[in-house]
Amino acid sequence: MERAPSPLFLLLLLLSSLAVVCSAVEPAPITVKPDVAPASLPIDYIQEVGSCSYEVTVATSCASPSIFTGEIGVLFGDTHGNQIIEKELSNGDKVFDSCNTDSFVLKDRPCSVQISYLYIYKDGADDWVPNSVEISGSGIKPLLFIYKSSIPRNTWFGYDLRQYTFPPPPSYDPAPPLPWLSSPPPPSHPLLPPPEPILPPPPPPHKPVLPPPPPPTPPSSSSKILGQKWAMASVFLGLLTALL
C-alpha cells in the first residue's frame, strides 16, 4: 500500500510551483521616441525559413478609429543579420480596431540573438495609433515598445536599439523563509548606555598681576639742611649736659 505524501512535501512542491510562476520574465519597456527607419537599414522582403517562433502582441489605442480598414506589417531583427518580417499581420479576426489587443504567432522564422530594432508599417489612410508592440519568442528577451503616437503611411516607423541601454529589471522582495526551516535568531543583548566622557580638570583661577610699588622719593635739599641742623643741636645739648 502506497503512503500518501507528507504535508511538508506537498508544501515544498507548492512553493516550487509558485517560484516558477513568479520568475516569469517581464518585457523590458522601451520608451525612447520612435522614428522613421534609416535608409541604410537593409530589408529582405523574401523571408528565409528558420526554426524559431515569435509572438507579436499589438495594443491599439482607444484614440484610433473604431474600425481599421488598412494593413499593418512588422519588421525586427538583430545586429547579426537575422531579420524577421511579416508584411501583413493577420490572425483570421478583425484586428487593430479601437481599444483592441491582438496577438500574432510567426512560425519557422530565422533565430534572432536579441532584438536590436523594430519597425511597423501601415498601409491605409486611417489614423491608426498603437499603444504598444510586444515581441517575445525563442531565446530572446521580451521587449515592450511604447508607441502612443500616430503611424505615418507607407513607411517603416519604430525603434533602433543599437544605441539604447536597457533599464534594469524590477526588483522584488523574496518570500520570507518558513519559521520551522530557518535557524533561530541570535539572542538579543540589552543596549548599554555609552560611557560618560572624561573631562580634563578645570584650569586654576586667574590671579591678577599687581603693578610693582613706586620707588621711594629722594629727599629734597631743604630736608637735608634741616637734618644737619638738628644733628648739631643734638651734639651741643649732649656736651652741655656733660659739663653740668
Side-chain angles (χ1 to χ4, degrees), residues 72-121:
I72 299 297
V74 65
L75 169 72
F76 58 92
D78 58 19
T79 58
H80 302 279
N82 302 304
Q83 189 176 89
I84 297 91
I85 185 171
E86 184 64 32
K87 291 177 282 188
E88 181 183 355
L89 291 172
S90 176
N91 57 9
D93 297 330
K94 187 60 181 174
V95 292
F96 308 121
D97 291 343
S98 176
C99 302
N100 275 8
T101 299
D102 305 293
S103 296
F104 311 90
V105 177
L106 309 181
K107 297 181 179 180
D108 301 326
R109 303 304 174 101
C111 295
S112 176
V113 176
Q114 180 56 50
I115 299 173
S116 61
Y117 59 89
L118 173 135
Y119 296 97
I120 55 179
Y121 188 95

